[in-house]
Amino acid sequence: MKLEFDIASGDFSKAGRASSRIKKMLKQLQVDPKVIKRIVVAIYEAEVNVVAHSVGGKMLAEIDGTGIRVIVQDNGPGIEDIEKAMQEGYSTASKAVRNMGFGAGMGLPNINRNTDEFTIESELGVGTVLTFRNNF
């Protein structure tokens, strides 16, 4: 099963729609609730990162009998220092994003902590691709 979502830049009211839809589908598939929680946290964090840091992007989720693979691709500034971005508390979010309660620097660390496999590819001035997988 494949699902695709567009993620709009700056539209925090829609952040979480993909994770909500995927959560419902995983419940219908009777996936372990603990696994669902980890998946939803990772997907939500990825959505918010696209909304906060890019000019938009896409998410593709592929669900099979063994797990879920998620690819999130954005069009944005890219990540200058991935190692630094993986540190808890490090953030490049604007003051406006932080004032809304986002941008605490926990997104990438939370994705890493809640996935079984996680990779980041980023090119400055082009964008970032996150790929992660959770096994059922």
Side-chain angles (χ1 to χ4, degrees):
M1 174 181 329
K2 293 183 181 184
L3 303 164
E4 189 171 320
F5 304 91
D6 289 321
I7 305 171
S9 174
D11 192 350
F12 288 93
S13 68
K14 292 182 181 174
R17 286 191 176 176
S19 55
S20 292
R21 282 205 41 215
I22 291 170
K23 179 180 180 178
K24 287 178 188 176
M25 295 190 84
L26 295 175
K27 283 184 174 183
Q28 290 172 349
L29 294 171
Q30 299 180 335
V31 173
D32 181 328
K34 291 177 185 174
V35 174
I36 293 174
K37 183 177 180 180
R38 292 180 69 224
I39 293 166
V40 170
V41 166
I43 292 172
Y44 179 77
E45 293 286 10
E47 284 180 271
V48 169
N49 278 351
V50 172
V51 171
H53 297 288
S54 77
V55 294
K58 292 195 176 293
M59 177 182 294
L60 175 65
E62 300 174 358
I63 302 169
D64 63 26
T66 64
I68 182 170
R69 179 174 177 250
V70 179
I71 301 168
V72 181
Q73 182 173 9
D74 74 31
N75 303 307
I79 300 171
E80 187 171 339
D81 186 337
I82 292 174
E83 189 174 319
K84 194 180 243 184
M86 291 299 297
Q87 295 175 9
E88 290 186 10
Y90 176 79
S91 178
T92 59
S94 69
K95 185 176 181 178
V97 169
R98 289 183 192 179
N99 285 342
M100 287 186 280
F102 299 98
M106 294 303 294
L108 293 176
N110 276 338
I111 294 168
N112 189 47
R113 187 174 16 261
N114 284 286
T115 56
D116 296 323
E117 300 170 24
F118 178 46
T119 61
I120 302 174
E121 297 173 28
S122 191
E123 185 176 342
L124 292 178
V126 177
T128 301
V129 178
L130 307 179
T131 304
F132 52 90
R133 178 174 173 81
N134 285 73
N135 300 315
F136 297 156

